[in-house]
Amino acid sequence: MAAKDAQNQKNKGLPGFLPRAVDPDQSLQVSSSNPRNQVWQPGLSPPSRFLPTVSVPPGLEYLSQLDLIIIHQQVELLGMILGTETSNKYEIKNGLGQRIYFAVEESICFNRTFCSTLRSCALRITDNSGREVITVHRPLRCNSCWCPCYLQELEIQAPPGTIVGYVAQKWDPFQPKFTIQDANKEDILKIVGPCATCGCFGDVDFEVKTINEKLTIGKISKYWSGFVNNVFTNADNFGVHIPADLDVTVKAAMIGACFLFDFMFFEHSLAGL
């Protein structure tokens, strides 16, 4: 009887997960007592009742079950000293501060110099083994409300070569508005920013809403990092707060949206004021 009860308890699985599910904490393997100094070494990705029935794109299993994604732009000392615009680099971390991805901008010097924040570029996102798992393409487009037919757009590929979504700017005379779209350019979610993105001594929040804007499901925040950092460096920090059960391809699009916001609103060293 005791053996039968033990078997029944095993079949019930963990509370809040599917039967026979793996404890999510067991899929994170760190080699030190201080997880913030580690990269994320994934084990088996825990199953979830919320994951799509189709297979998860390789590399995006890192995003499953995450409800907080932190994006930290690395400080480019050479650019600060020479006063030139260098390619952006970002660390992408989970809520424990463990790095899960590394992103590098790929663009030509001419575009960075003369097109500045409107430049066309590609951001190549690799995991901790060096495998490229996400590619973000940004074409040269306008961001003025006077040119509503040629506003900003990003294309998200995961894996590289396979389009999984878009981030598209929508015309609005008062607030920055964007939509997250699937591979067929069907609207999934909407992102609504504040009327002023200067972020004077505080965080700047872009709310993630349903298409009708009646329900807020998350937010993308540009964190205020202090007067010295925000004025004298161009390193920005973002936090993506989203439901853990959100489709991983939508989470990948949210990461792309952070890059777009960084280019559009916070690229220069004084943009945080």
Side-chain angles (χ1 to χ4, degrees):
M1 179 62 71
K4 184 177 181 179
D5 291 341
Q7 182 65 31
N8 291 337
Q9 184 66 27
K10 180 180 180 181
N11 290 336
K12 288 181 181 179
L14 297 172
F17 295 90
L18 289 179
R20 301 180 183 274
V22 180
D23 185 347
D25 292 336
Q26 294 179 357
S27 66
L28 305 180
Q29 303 168 1
V30 294
S31 57
S32 169
S33 59
N34 186 0
R36 294 184 179 275
N37 296 328
Q38 303 299 316
V39 296
W40 191 11
Q41 301 293 339
L44 296 176
S45 179
S48 169
R49 69 187 71 186
F50 301 106
L51 288 178
T53 54
V54 296
S55 60
V56 176
L60 296 196
E61 63 271 8
Y62 299 114
L63 299 177
S64 63
Q65 303 298 321
L66 290 186
D67 59 1
L68 173 61
I69 302 169
I70 299 171
I71 298 177
H72 172 67
Q73 183 180 1
Q74 293 191 333
V75 178
E76 295 295 332
L77 295 178
L78 179 62
M80 292 173 55
I81 295 172
L82 299 180
T84 59
E85 184 65 46
T86 57
S87 297
N88 290 343
K89 298 179 178 64
Y90 304 86
E91 280 190 309
I92 303 172
K93 304 177 181 181
N94 60 18
L96 297 176
Q98 300 163 334
R99 192 180 74 193
I100 55 176
Y101 297 125
F102 188 76
V104 178
E105 175 192 349
E106 187 177 271
S107 60
I108 61 176
C109 182
F110 179 88
N111 284 346
R112 294 195 301 272
T113 302
F114 295 100
C115 300
S116 187
T117 60
L118 296 178
R119 63 186 180 265
S120 61
C121 63
L123 288 124
R124 306 199 177 276
I125 303 175
T126 57
D127 62 13
N128 292 319
S129 66
R131 175 183 57 167
E132 185 175 344
V133 295
I134 304 172
T135 303
V136 178
H137 286 286
R138 184 202 188 197
L140 177 64
R141 298 177 76 97
C142 182
N143 67 352
S144 171
C145 63
W146 303 109
C147 300
C149 60
Y150 205 62
L151 294 176
Q152 292 290 305
E153 183 177 278
L154 291 184
E155 178 186 274
I156 315 298
Q157 299 179 0
T162 302
I163 298 174
V164 296
Y166 297 88
V167 180
Q169 183 183 9
K170 297 301 181 181
W171 184 86
D172 189 280
F174 304 110
Q175 291 178 290
K177 289 188 177 182
F178 304 82
T179 57
I180 301 295
Q181 302 173 334
D182 62 15
N184 298 317
K185 291 201 170 184
E186 296 289 335
D187 293 347
I188 301 174
L189 294 171
K190 186 170 287 188
I191 303 176
V192 180
C195 296
T197 58
C198 61
C200 297
F201 306 103
D203 296 347
V204 180
D205 292 331
F206 296 79
E207 295 185 336
V208 182
K209 298 176 175 286
T210 54
I211 293 301
N212 59 14
E213 299 188 28
K214 292 184 178 180
L215 179 64
T216 300
I217 68 165
K219 66 179 179 178
I220 296 175
S221 299
K222 193 275 180 183
Y223 294 138
W224 169 257
S225 54
F227 181 83
V228 174
N229 285 339
N230 277 37
V231 173
F232 296 103
T233 75
N234 60 357
D236 294 314
N237 296 298
F238 292 87
V240 183
H241 304 259
I242 30 80
D245 54 11
L246 197 64
D247 191 327
V248 291
T249 59
V250 180
K251 292 181 181 181
M254 294 288 184
I255 293 174
C258 285
F259 299 146
L260 181 58
F261 298 162
D262 190 31
F263 281 114
M264 292 181 63
F265 306 115
F266 311 108
E267 177 72 7
H268 298 298
S269 59
L270 293 177
L273 292 178

